[in-house]
mmCIF file of all heavy atoms in Angstrom:
data_model
loop_
_atom_site.group_PDB
_atom_site.id
_atom_site.type_symbol
_atom_site.label_atom_id
_atom_site.label_comp_id
_atom_site.label_asym_id
_atom_site.label_seq_id
_atom_site.Cartn_x
_atom_site.Cartn_y
_atom_site.Cartn_z
ATOM 1 N N GLY H 337 30.820 -92.068 -238.291
ATOM 2 C CA GLY H 337 29.873 -93.147 -238.384
ATOM 3 C C GLY H 337 29.851 -93.826 -239.757
ATOM 4 O O GLY H 337 28.990 -94.742 -239.897
ATOM 5 N N VAL H 338 30.749 -93.383 -240.526
ATOM 6 C CA VAL H 338 30.874 -94.033 -241.917
ATOM 7 C C VAL H 338 32.254 -94.263 -242.144
ATOM 8 O O VAL H 338 33.159 -93.572 -241.766
ATOM 9 C CB VAL H 338 30.169 -93.285 -243.045
ATOM 10 C CG1 VAL H 338 28.701 -93.214 -242.890
ATOM 11 C CG2 VAL H 338 30.827 -91.810 -242.992
ATOM 12 N N ALA H 339 32.587 -95.341 -242.951
ATOM 13 C CA ALA H 339 34.040 -95.673 -243.282
ATOM 14 C C ALA H 339 34.198 -95.362 -244.763
ATOM 15 O O ALA H 339 33.316 -95.494 -245.562
ATOM 16 C CB ALA H 339 34.247 -97.078 -243.067
ATOM 17 N N PRO H 340 35.421 -95.008 -245.063
ATOM 18 C CA PRO H 340 35.753 -94.766 -246.542
ATOM 19 C C PRO H 340 35.580 -96.043 -247.314
ATOM 20 O O PRO H 340 35.805 -97.087 -246.816
ATOM 21 C CB PRO H 340 37.258 -94.348 -246.507
ATOM 22 C CG PRO H 340 37.492 -93.852 -245.110
ATOM 23 C CD PRO H 340 36.533 -94.693 -244.248
ATOM 24 N N LYS H 341 35.191 -95.850 -248.548
ATOM 25 C CA LYS H 341 35.035 -97.000 -249.508
ATOM 26 C C LYS H 341 34.876 -96.415 -250.872
ATOM 27 O O LYS H 341 34.543 -95.262 -251.115
ATOM 28 C CB LYS H 341 33.845 -97.869 -249.149
ATOM 29 C CG LYS H 341 32.481 -97.284 -249.296
ATOM 30 C CD LYS H 341 31.414 -98.293 -249.149
ATOM 31 C CE LYS H 341 30.044 -97.757 -249.443
ATOM 32 N NZ LYS H 341 29.016 -98.769 -249.318
ATOM 33 N N ALA H 342 35.246 -97.318 -251.851
ATOM 34 C CA ALA H 342 35.182 -96.818 -253.213
ATOM 35 C C ALA H 342 33.726 -96.567 -253.523
ATOM 36 O O ALA H 342 32.751 -97.268 -253.196
ATOM 37 C CB ALA H 342 35.664 -97.977 -254.086
ATOM 38 N N GLY H 343 33.495 -95.514 -254.346
ATOM 39 C CA GLY H 343 32.152 -95.171 -254.838
ATOM 40 C C GLY H 343 31.633 -93.818 -254.209
ATOM 41 O O GLY H 343 30.678 -93.298 -254.793
ATOM 42 N N TYR H 344 32.259 -93.289 -253.213
ATOM 43 C CA TYR H 344 31.763 -92.086 -252.627
ATOM 44 C C TYR H 344 31.938 -90.909 -253.631
ATOM 45 O O TYR H 344 31.117 -90.014 -253.787
ATOM 46 C CB TYR H 344 32.536 -91.709 -251.341
ATOM 47 C CG TYR H 344 31.747 -92.201 -250.135
ATOM 48 C CD1 TYR H 344 31.981 -93.360 -249.585
ATOM 49 C CD2 TYR H 344 30.755 -91.401 -249.613
ATOM 50 C CE1 TYR H 344 31.314 -93.748 -248.469
ATOM 51 C CE2 TYR H 344 30.014 -91.756 -248.422
ATOM 52 C CZ TYR H 344 30.327 -92.936 -247.942
ATOM 53 O OH TYR H 344 29.594 -93.443 -246.897
ATOM 54 N N TYR H 345 33.054 -90.884 -254.366
ATOM 55 C CA TYR H 345 33.191 -89.786 -255.425
ATOM 56 C C TYR H 345 32.179 -89.727 -256.416
ATOM 57 O O TYR H 345 31.509 -88.810 -256.685
ATOM 58 C CB TYR H 345 34.714 -89.904 -256.025
ATOM 59 C CG TYR H 345 34.854 -88.865 -257.172
ATOM 60 C CD1 TYR H 345 35.221 -87.587 -256.774
ATOM 61 C CD2 TYR H 345 34.737 -89.267 -258.468
ATOM 62 C CE1 TYR H 345 35.451 -86.641 -257.799
ATOM 63 C CE2 TYR H 345 35.036 -88.260 -259.447
ATOM 64 C CZ TYR H 345 35.305 -87.035 -259.128
ATOM 65 O OH TYR H 345 35.469 -86.061 -260.173
ATOM 66 N N ALA H 346 31.929 -91.035 -256.938
ATOM 67 C CA ALA H 346 30.920 -91.073 -257.990
ATOM 68 C C ALA H 346 29.454 -90.809 -257.413
ATOM 69 O O ALA H 346 28.687 -90.214 -258.179
ATOM 70 C CB ALA H 346 30.857 -92.580 -258.560
ATOM 71 N N ALA H 347 29.203 -91.283 -256.167
ATOM 72 C CA ALA H 347 27.955 -91.061 -255.562
ATOM 73 C C ALA H 347 27.698 -89.534 -255.402
ATOM 74 O O ALA H 347 26.588 -89.027 -255.742
ATOM 75 C CB ALA H 347 27.869 -91.706 -254.256
ATOM 76 N N TYR H 348 28.781 -88.793 -254.937
ATOM 77 C CA TYR H 348 28.662 -87.363 -254.769
ATOM 78 C C TYR H 348 28.319 -86.643 -256.113
ATOM 79 O O TYR H 348 27.537 -85.846 -256.308
ATOM 80 C CB TYR H 348 29.871 -86.738 -254.126
ATOM 81 C CG TYR H 348 29.932 -85.296 -254.171
ATOM 82 C CD1 TYR H 348 29.206 -84.615 -253.277
ATOM 83 C CD2 TYR H 348 30.584 -84.620 -255.200
ATOM 84 C CE1 TYR H 348 29.113 -83.131 -253.318
ATOM 85 C CE2 TYR H 348 30.568 -83.217 -255.216
ATOM 86 C CZ TYR H 348 29.833 -82.478 -254.383
ATOM 87 O OH TYR H 348 29.772 -81.173 -254.389
ATOM 88 N N GLN H 349 29.182 -87.038 -257.153
ATOM 89 C CA GLN H 349 29.144 -86.392 -258.432
ATOM 90 C C GLN H 349 27.692 -86.589 -259.085
ATOM 91 O O GLN H 349 27.112 -85.707 -259.600
ATOM 92 C CB GLN H 349 30.179 -86.907 -259.486
ATOM 93 C CG GLN H 349 31.611 -86.517 -259.086
ATOM 94 C CD GLN H 349 31.749 -84.997 -259.085
ATOM 95 O OE1 GLN H 349 31.022 -84.253 -259.715
ATOM 96 N NE2 GLN H 349 32.838 -84.484 -258.425
ATOM 97 N N GLN H 350 27.280 -87.877 -258.955
ATOM 98 C CA GLN H 350 25.865 -88.246 -259.541
ATOM 99 C C GLN H 350 24.794 -87.425 -258.858
ATOM 100 O O GLN H 350 23.965 -86.797 -259.498
ATOM 101 C CB GLN H 350 25.582 -89.694 -259.259
ATOM 102 C CG GLN H 350 24.345 -90.201 -259.799
ATOM 103 C CD GLN H 350 23.980 -91.627 -259.252
ATOM 104 O OE1 GLN H 350 24.950 -92.408 -258.943
ATOM 105 N NE2 GLN H 350 22.774 -91.904 -259.044
#
Side-chain angles (χ1 to χ4, degrees):
Chain H
V338 291
K341 68 173 185 176
Y344 264 94
Y345 176 78
Y348 170 80
Q349 292 296 342
Q350 179 193 331

